[in-house]
Amino acid sequence: MYEIMSSDEAIRLIRDGDCICVNSFVGIENPVELHEALYRRYQRMQSPRHLTVISSAGFGVWDEEHNAEGYIREGAVDRLICGHFGAMMSTKKLVLEDRFEAYNLPLGCISHAIRAQAGGLPGALSKVGLDIFVDPRKDGPGINRISIDDSLVKYVEVDGEEFLYYKLPKITVALIKGTAADRKGNISFDDMFMSGDALSICQAVKANHGKVIVQVDRLVNTPTRPRNAIIPGCLVDAIVVVEPEKRNEAYAALTGSFEIPYEEWNVWSEKIDTVSEKPSKNSVVGNIIGRRAAMELRVDDIVNIGIGIPEMVSRHARKNGMLDMVTLTVESGGIGGFPVSGEAFGAMIGAASVYDMANQFDLYDNGGLDICFMGALEVDREGNVNAHRGPGAFAGIGGFANITAKTPTVVFCMTFNAKGLEVSQKKGVVTIEKEGSVPKFVEKVSSVSFSAKRAIQNGQKVLYVTERCVFRLTPKGLKLIEVYPGVDMQKEVLEQLPFEVEI
């Protein structure tokens, strides 16, 4: 039976050595007060210690002084297992200093492993991750030198087929943010951007005889409608009521509490961008890439668009009339709306449906997308892509590996080089004013996020769209299939590459 507690009382349920699973998505829907209470307790008592923290999509709030950053920095956590670290501002730096063990697994594979544990299974099989960095025959999931646990990902063969087997430690504590708890303890997510892995996490914790702690905005007397009760009260141990900060109208629109028709998506997107601390960028380079990449869209496509330069695809899909004829999706579970960028990434404007994250990755893993648009840090002569780890920094693989593993058409949106690149375009003619000092096409990528060999075996169409040209993946490597007007193919493309390509 659940109890209503203060955050400090609820956090006393956590013991040394517990394995905590946080239901959040990058920077949104974090149970911030629960994290803050855990930090307060750790400062007073140096407990709980030796924690393991798991999160499919990470649990930062883009602020190194809030959420979990403090207790991680001061030593409460021995091990982190996350799909993405991008919003965890100090934590992702400490990982590279070997302060604690840290493992990066594909977001969808963590989600599916949590669901497997909820069903009494030790782990989940997946073809996602084969031949990329997480494959134990390559680098494995450890991010730093002390992360050598080889039990998280194993290469196995079943009925003559190759798989990776993802296995998580037994989850003993759930930290979850919901909207409301009714008098039976049922938790609804009505004002939330997503529900993520909430139900699976709770089921896994209860199977392991652990504790479920839920932060909600309010208590309600009227029982929640059955279909709206994401977490039944019988799975909840502690409910912490924290009055939410007043949301800007732009963010309130993302909860689905009122309809946002297609014609208004752009207006609401601009409102959100105005109030976001991480506004989207508009640039000549981004526009060139986005315009060309958007030409790959076809009517009735089911689509995923990554963050960064790929976001320009949706802008140009609107301009060419395609946006209303395709279905956009986002990893957190949203389908049929317009994904938000910046600090609210994971939310959607005008979503038609938002379901559990594991179900979204069922769609991605089985090839349910028609096309995806992803960013890239490096591409090598074979067509392999590194999208998750740069020199001295990393964000993590996130949903990238799941999205690109089986999607029939994969379009990488990237600049030809970086740091100082200046480009102009007039009347369709592209001029490279200044080359960047950091090449993005390299002899060999430093870490593999996308395997060209697997893509060829799967029969996927793979394009690499830049601000000056387009390459296509072939069994021999890259083939130059298009050079934009104004670009000198020999001087500004071929001579800039460290390897030869087919023409």
Side-chain angles (χ1 to χ4, degrees), residues 167-462:
K167 181 180 178 181
L168 298 174
K170 284 192 174 183
I171 302 165
T172 54
V173 174
L175 296 185
I176 292 172
K177 172 74 171 66
T179 296
D182 68 16
R183 63 174 182 262
K184 297 181 180 180
N186 301 312
I187 310 296
S188 65
F189 285 68
D190 294 348
D191 294 340
M192 309 289 288
F193 300 153
M194 58 109 211
S195 59
D197 293 316
L199 179 58
S200 291
I201 293 170
C202 292
Q203 290 173 326
V205 168
K206 300 316 289 185
N208 297 328
H209 309 290
K211 301 295 183 181
V212 171
I213 307 171
V214 183
Q215 175 185 325
V216 298
D217 297 339
R218 59 185 179 272
L219 302 176
V220 295
N221 289 322
T222 305
T224 300
R225 292 183 66 180
R227 281 294 297 170
N228 294 342
I230 303 296
I231 304 172
C234 62
L235 299 181
V236 179
D237 293 287
I239 294 173
V240 177
V241 183
V242 180
E243 185 175 346
E245 295 181 6
K246 188 176 177 64
R247 263 182 177 155
N248 181 284
E249 178 196 33
Y251 288 127
L254 304 177
T255 65
S257 56
F258 58 89
E259 181 184 5
I260 302 178
Y262 169 77
E263 294 75 18
E264 297 179 16
W265 285 3
N266 194 47
V267 174
W268 285 99
S269 181
E270 289 177 357
K271 286 183 179 181
I272 292 164
D273 197 44
T274 299
V275 300
S276 174
E277 295 178 8
K278 290 181 162 296
S280 60
K281 297 179 181 179
N282 190 1
S283 68
V284 173
V285 167
N287 280 317
I288 294 171
I289 296 171
R291 186 182 301 111
R292 171 60 185 87
M295 293 169 61
E296 297 300 317
L297 287 168
R298 300 293 179 264
V299 174
D300 292 333
D301 274 353
I302 302 175
V303 187
N304 181 281
I305 297 176
I307 57 176
I309 291 178
E311 293 174 50
M312 300 298 289
V313 173
S314 56
R315 184 173 301 183
H316 289 279
R318 171 179 289 279
K319 290 182 179 179
N320 68 21
M322 283 299 298
L323 193 60
D324 195 28
M325 294 185 279
V326 301
T327 300
L328 301 183
T329 72
V330 69
E331 294 93 308
S332 59
I335 286 187
F338 185 82
V340 176
S341 60
E343 63 185 20
F345 174 63
M348 288 191 101
I349 298 169
S353 173
V354 180
Y355 51 46
D356 285 357
M357 192 152 62
N359 296 122
Q360 189 76 301
F361 281 96
D362 288 338
L363 176 75
Y364 293 165
D365 289 1
N366 72 23
L369 292 172
D370 295 295
I371 189 170
C372 64
F373 300 87
M374 298 282 109
L377 296 173
E378 297 176 315
V379 175
D380 65 22
R381 65 161 57 242
E382 295 177 6
N384 298 313
V385 174
N386 169 22
H388 72 280
R389 185 164 188 167
F394 81 103
I397 192 70
F400 178 99
N402 301 85
I403 293 165
T404 59
K406 212 173 177 183
T407 299
T409 300
V410 179
V411 182
F412 293 109
C413 304
M414 56 183 292
T415 56
F416 200 89
N417 47 51
K419 200 172 182 180
L421 175 66
E422 295 179 10
V423 178
S424 63
Q425 185 181 38
K426 293 181 180 178
K427 296 181 179 181
V429 176
V430 175
T431 303
I432 310 299
E433 306 285 358
K434 181 183 176 183
E435 295 287 2
S437 60
V438 178
K440 288 199 148 192
F441 290 88
V442 297
E443 186 68 31
K444 184 177 177 61
V445 294
S446 55
S447 188
V448 179
S449 312
F450 172 82
S451 167
K453 181 182 78 172
R454 285 278 163 184
I456 293 296
Q457 290 176 357
N458 293 338
Q460 293 168 279
K461 175 184 177 182
V462 182

